[in-house]
Amino acid sequence: MATTVCFIIWVLFTTDTVWTQSVRQAYEVREPEDWDVDDYDCPRECFCPPSFPTALYCENRGLKEIPAIPSRIRYLYLENNLIETIPEKPFENATQLRWINLNKNKITNRGIEKGALSQLKKLLFLFLEDNELEEVPAPLPRSLEQLQLARNKVSKIPQGTFSNLENLTLLDLQHNKLLDNAFQRDTFKGLKNLMQLNMAKNALRNMPPRLPANTMQLFLDNNSIEGIPENYFNVIPKVAFLRLNYNRLSDTGLPSRGFDASSILELQLSHNRLTKFPRISAFLQHLHLDHNKIKSVNISVICPTATLRADQDAFIHGPQLSYLRLDGNEIKSPIPMDLMSCFKLLQAVII
């Protein structure tokens, strides 16, 4: 228990450290006396709040083009417009940009001038959700930490797109048109610090290959995934939160060890085709198995056994499972009482 708590604290600390560093970098500003006269300019199409001089608000204005961005701007809000292109020229002086929100526009890959984004050497956060992108845009600045591309039409990831994005910690590709052939073995090469990968609501039938080793959160809900290769989790030894709801996983599609990876703390397998309780790790805390075809709960089979882990001497307190969801299956009452004998820390069971 103490080891698990320590692991969670470490995950939170690591995430908080990354976020704190990003926020600290993003909110560094020059003193007003260091600005040029032109730094106080404000595009007439936008709003420049006196209390937040490094921000430029141009959202919800029916804009078709990006206005010239003053050099003092670090936070640029252009969401919900009619913008189709991202040329280099508006960003010529915007060397301090940390944050760009271009959600809900009409941007296409053809409309992004090569170098328009990569020239922004200090950019940390890029939001391009709800646009018309068919590929992950490239090249992107090496400084980037978060890339949000949800709800586009992305079906292709050009080779080398992520090769220089070693600072990226979050990649959101949910609700696109990704097929299995969008990935090569080296697609994610370069993403050394990626922690969260979201590819929910695509058209994947297989697990994405060769994910970054530091991945902690993997979201693959609402695909058509039928199986998980043997030893898949060996490549991502730090994965703690795994979501595979609304797929086509069956008993035969699971690896022989199931989900017996000691790093996994939360596992979501709702709305699949499982008929048996999958093998799990003794360190798993939350398990979602609702809306499958499970008919029985055999404790002698599902109760995880003690395992050794590098950061502990031995498994002492028994299985860590505290939340179990089994509703929407074919399980007949009563649930075996020895369920509690195995999972002594279980606080909630939904049947």
Side-chain angles (χ1 to χ4, degrees), residues 128-151:
L128 283 166
E129 298 177 350
D130 297 286
N131 277 281
E132 304 292 331
L133 298 174
E134 296 181 355
E135 300 180 2
V136 175
L140 295 169
R142 185 183 298 271
S143 57
L144 204 62
E145 293 185 0
Q146 293 193 17
L147 178 59
Q148 309 267 5
L149 298 172
R151 294 176 299 279

Side-chain angles (χ1 to χ4, degrees), residues 154-197:
V154 175
S155 62
K156 184 178 179 181
I157 304 175
Q159 189 168 12
T161 295
F162 302 127
S163 60
N164 70 323
L165 300 185
E166 58 190 30
N167 294 304
L168 200 71
T169 60
L170 184 151
L171 175 59
D172 191 347
L173 285 164
Q174 67 172 304
H175 213 305
N176 277 283
K177 297 185 177 182
L178 291 169
L179 298 169
D180 295 328
N181 60 12
F183 307 106
Q184 307 299 322
R185 286 186 62 84
D186 62 349
T187 294
F188 299 102
K189 186 178 181 181
L191 298 178
K192 298 177 182 179
N193 290 297
L194 192 72
M195 296 172 63
Q196 183 182 120
L197 177 59

Side-chain angles (χ1 to χ4, degrees), residues 122-322:
K122 296 183 179 180
L123 190 65
L124 302 176
F125 304 93
L126 178 58
F127 299 84
L128 283 166
E129 298 177 350
D130 297 286
N131 277 281
E132 304 292 331
L133 298 174
E134 296 181 355
E135 300 180 2
V136 175
L140 295 169
R142 185 183 298 271
S143 57
L144 204 62
E145 293 185 0
Q146 293 193 17
L147 178 59
Q148 309 267 5
L149 298 172
R151 294 176 299 279
N152 276 275
K153 300 176 182 179
V154 175
S155 62
K156 184 178 179 181
I157 304 175
Q159 189 168 12
T161 295
F162 302 127
S163 60
N164 70 323
L165 300 185
E166 58 190 30
N167 294 304
L168 200 71
T169 60
L170 184 151
L171 175 59
D172 191 347
L173 285 164
Q174 67 172 304
H175 213 305
N176 277 283
K177 297 185 177 182
L178 291 169
L179 298 169
D180 295 328
N181 60 12
F183 307 106
Q184 307 299 322
R185 286 186 62 84
D186 62 349
T187 294
F188 299 102
K189 186 178 181 181
L191 298 178
K192 298 177 182 179
N193 290 297
L194 192 72
M195 296 172 63
Q196 183 182 120
L197 177 59
N198 191 341
M199 289 190 289
K201 294 187 177 181
N202 278 279
L204 304 179
R205 297 188 65 181
N206 296 292
M207 301 288 284
R210 303 294 296 181
L211 296 182
N214 284 319
T215 304
M216 293 184 181
Q217 301 178 39
L218 178 59
F219 306 143
L220 292 166
D221 316 78
N222 292 91
N223 279 282
S224 300
I225 296 172
E226 299 176 348
I228 301 173
E230 288 289 335
N231 303 316
Y232 184 83
F233 300 110
N234 291 351
V235 180
I236 46 175
K238 297 180 181 179
V239 64
F241 305 94
L242 179 61
R243 291 198 333 223
L244 282 159
N245 303 320
Y246 291 95
N247 277 284
R248 299 179 181 178
L249 290 171
S250 63
D251 302 325
T252 56
L254 301 185
S256 58
R257 291 185 56 197
F259 299 92
D260 188 13
S262 59
S263 63
I264 300 177
L265 301 180
E266 177 165 314
L267 175 61
Q268 296 189 19
L269 296 169
S270 305
H271 294 271
N272 277 281
R273 301 176 179 178
L274 303 175
T275 63
K276 300 177 182 178
F277 207 102
R279 185 176 175 182
I280 60 174
S281 162
F283 301 94
L284 185 68
Q285 296 179 9
H286 292 176
L287 177 59
H288 298 245
L289 286 171
D290 55 285
H291 297 91
N292 277 276
K293 299 180 180 180
I294 300 172
K295 297 181 179 179
S296 62
V297 180
N298 188 336
I299 298 301
S300 63
V301 175
I302 70 174
C303 190
T305 56
T307 57
L308 293 177
R309 204 162 64 169
D311 59 344
Q312 66 170 29
D313 295 325
F315 181 73
I316 300 173
H317 299 287
Q320 305 294 291
L321 194 68
S322 63

Side-chain angles (χ1 to χ4, degrees), residues 75-110:
Y75 308 94
L76 178 58
Y77 299 88
L78 284 161
E79 63 269 28
N80 200 20
N81 281 292
L82 303 172
I83 297 170
E84 297 180 1
T85 62
I86 304 179
E88 284 190 51
K89 189 171 179 60
F91 298 101
E92 283 180 340
N93 298 317
T95 57
Q96 302 301 315
L97 272 174
R98 304 295 200 270
W99 174 297
I100 298 178
N101 190 335
L102 276 160
N103 292 344
K104 296 185 179 179
N105 278 284
K106 298 181 180 296
I107 298 167
T108 63
N109 289 94
R110 286 186 179 183

